[in-house]
Amino acid sequence: MNQSIYLYLVNGERTGEGFWKIGATKNVDPLKSDKNFLECYRKELIGEDAAKEILMAIQLNIDTLINSCLNDGYEIPIPSEGISYDLPLSVIEEIFEFWLNLYKDPILFKKVVKLLKLKKNIDFTNPTIVKGIKGITAEWIKKLELLNKYRPPSATKSSSKDPMWVENQE
């Protein structure tokens, strides 16, 4: 039986560490699910199966975004629970809403999830790739790229290694 549950976005704090949390609960008030939750930003009543699929897509999207930031040299601390406060609420809400709304078309939802999984192995910003992808696939790739465009305002990590063209002088 596919019960209705609440998909939520909250912020919380545990032992002085703040975090965002996206999850699902049977409680009408998600804040009652955990005493460390402070404020609820989004709450949607949906089916349990839908919630599981949407949560998986959201988590995959957030992991992809964080990995992209890390690969570009930005530091994003990983909290012991939930999602880093270093990602702005507006970015988290945009990802939440995107996948929630996309689920209204389950077939398209599954196709876009597959594109997001492909993003791990294919650079969709590569001009050669961009030229080769056409039609509706190209449109959804652009939307995924927009979801993953955020970068922290802080400077990138500095490297203490010498560039490869600098020779060791002995």
Side-chain angles (χ1 to χ4, degrees):
M1 184 174 171
N2 190 13
Q3 297 179 334
S4 291
I5 60 175
Y6 291 94
L7 185 65
Y8 64 81
L9 165 60
V10 298
N11 73 332
E13 182 180 346
R14 187 180 311 275
T15 62
E17 180 181 49
F19 58 88
W20 304 113
K21 179 79 173 188
I22 298 174
T25 183
K26 293 179 183 177
N27 291 330
V28 174
D29 183 1
L31 299 179
K32 292 182 180 178
S33 298
D34 188 321
K35 63 181 172 66
N36 296 301
F37 292 169
L38 303 174
E39 194 170 356
C40 183
Y41 294 93
R42 292 282 188 271
K43 178 178 80 168
E44 297 290 333
L45 184 63
I46 60 175
E48 191 172 8
D49 292 341
K52 287 177 185 175
E53 289 187 57
I54 294 168
L55 281 171
M56 182 273 310
I58 290 170
Q59 191 59 52
L60 180 61
N61 199 150
I62 289 172
D63 290 346
T64 301
L65 173 59
I66 290 171
N67 287 333
S68 293
C69 289
L70 294 174
N71 288 339
D72 287 350
Y74 292 93
E75 291 185 39
I76 296 186
I78 307 299
S80 56
E81 179 177 349
I83 304 162
S84 174
Y85 259 174
D86 281 22
L87 293 178
L89 176 60
S90 60
V91 171
I92 304 294
E93 285 178 318
E94 189 176 351
I95 292 170
F96 183 97
E97 293 295 324
F98 176 84
W99 292 106
L100 182 67
N101 290 330
L102 188 58
Y103 196 79
K104 293 173 184 169
D105 183 342
I107 294 170
L108 182 59
F109 177 88
K110 288 180 185 191
K111 288 179 181 180
V112 176
V113 167
K114 287 178 184 176
L115 285 174
L116 184 58
K117 288 178 181 178
L118 274 174
K119 185 169 172 43
K120 288 181 179 180
N121 299 319
I122 298 173
D123 178 10
F124 289 139
T125 61
N126 180 319
T128 306
I129 300 293
V130 171
K131 285 181 184 179
I133 299 174
K134 303 289 182 202
I136 193 163
T137 302
E139 291 175 33
W140 285 105
I141 286 174
K142 286 178 188 174
K143 291 177 184 182
L144 286 175
E145 287 300 316
L146 285 174
L147 287 178
N148 289 289
K149 72 176 178 171
Y150 171 78
R151 294 300 179 267
S154 64
T156 58
K157 294 184 237 179
S158 62
S159 176
S160 61
K161 295 182 181 179
D162 288 330
M164 66 183 219
W165 58 85
V166 176
E167 294 181 11
N168 245 347
Q169 310 255 335
E170 290 184 25

